[in-house]
Amino acid sequence: MSLSPGDRVSAELTGSGRPAADVVIEPDAERLARAVAEAVVARLAAAQAVHGSASLVVTGGGMGIAVLERIAGLAAEPVRETVDWTAVDIWWGDERFVPADDDERNEKQARAALLDVVGVPAERVHAMPPSDGPFAEPEDAAAWYAGQLADAAPEGRMLPRFDVLLLGMGPEGHVASIFPASPAVRDDRPVVAVRDCPKPPPTRVSLGLPAINNAEEVWLLVAGGGKAPAVAQSLGGADPADLPAAGVHGRRATRWLLDAEAAAELPSGG
């Protein structure tokens, strides 16, 4: 029997030695985006209550941008938790190395969906460089972004606190711009240049797995039946070299937030 919408279970990652991942299933992509948006607002508000500020790593793609749009909508609603957007740092999990005004830019989409709407201050928006910026090569852009992370980190560390890191997942199991069997899978640098991606545009800059796995919480947002096999295999303990999504986890929590179609191949009980 398969898991059903509304189910919330813990899935032990086979042989991983890591805490179990939480699996939450919503009936469809629309309700998934709304639920994730509400959860992000609650988590950021909680982080601000403890630290005075919060940090969010955003992702692109249809589901990632849909979540940002719904977060912006919540800012106008009388919800229980509220976020001070002037005290939220925004980072990116990956970016397409294209010109700044290209519609493919995750930054451009995120600004239109959320950042410009809620007024995140410019100094708290940590965008990855575009191809028409100061760096002609993605390797130099990646090194610069690693430096930005280090500058924002506590003394003695190379990475700042990420309260929530959002990730989408491709049907072949890629996350951020880390694709199966690519050099980025085994790269131990916090930020990597990625060339010859199988999905256009081919040149990108991405957080590496060490930076992703430094987040307090990693949330994977997955919708659609075409991704169901990769979801099941990742939660079943697949080799991250084959399915990079299987290699991501948060320091405190890992959450798979799925619609019913994406969860279709999960067995009962995860």
Side-chain angles (χ1 to χ4, degrees):
M1 183 176 65
S2 297
L3 292 171
S4 302
D7 284 348
R8 285 164 169 77
V9 301
S10 292
E12 184 65 41
L13 301 180
T14 305
S16 69
R18 303 196 301 266
D22 295 324
V23 179
V24 178
I25 304 169
E26 297 293 341
D28 52 47
E30 171 62 32
R31 278 175 278 192
L32 175 62
R34 173 78 184 200
V36 174
E38 292 173 348
V40 168
V41 168
R43 183 67 186 86
L44 295 181
Q48 288 182 337
V50 174
H51 303 289
S53 63
S55 57
L56 174 67
V57 183
V58 298
T59 185
M63 180 55 62
I65 299 304
V67 167
L68 299 186
E69 290 172 342
R70 282 152 184 79
I71 292 173
L74 291 174
E77 294 182 11
V79 294
R80 183 182 305 171
E81 297 88 1
T82 58
V83 174
D84 176 3
W85 289 102
T86 68
V88 177
D89 282 289
I90 302 292
W91 301 88
W92 269 263
D94 72 323
E95 185 57 276
R96 289 83 179 266
F97 197 61
V98 294
D101 65 350
D102 194 307
D103 289 342
E104 293 280 356
R105 285 276 294 177
N106 290 334
E107 177 196 359
K108 183 176 181 179
Q109 297 175 36
R111 286 185 180 278
L114 175 66
L115 309 185
D116 293 344
V117 178
V118 298
V120 179
E123 65 272 15
R124 289 190 177 272
V125 178
H126 308 283
M128 291 178 168
S131 63
D132 59 351
F135 307 108
E137 303 296 335
E139 289 80 8
D140 295 329
W144 179 86
Y145 204 68
Q148 296 298 296
L149 291 169
D151 289 346
E155 185 175 355
R157 298 184 61 183
M158 295 301 293
L159 294 166
R161 186 187 79 251
F162 297 148
D163 292 305
V164 178
L165 186 148
L166 303 177
L167 287 174
M169 187 195 72
E172 78 296 271
H174 89 264
V175 290
S177 285
I178 303 174
F179 287 80
S182 70
V185 174
R186 303 195 185 282
D187 200 312
D188 62 1
R189 290 174 295 178
V191 189
V192 297
V194 182
R195 294 180 180 268
D196 301 319
C197 287
K199 178 181 178 181
T203 306
R204 305 172 179 219
V205 176
S206 178
L207 294 187
L209 288 177
I212 290 171
N213 293 341
N214 182 70
E216 294 298 300
E217 299 189 15
V218 172
W219 298 6
L220 294 106
L221 324 176
V222 190
K227 300 178 181 181
V231 168
Q233 292 166 31
S234 295
L235 284 167
D239 186 337
D242 298 325
L243 281 97
V248 302
H249 58 86
R251 293 163 61 92
R252 294 178 57 247
T254 307
R255 303 181 72 190
W256 285 76
L257 305 166
L258 314 172
D259 74 353
E261 290 185 355
E265 296 194 17
L266 290 178
S268 179

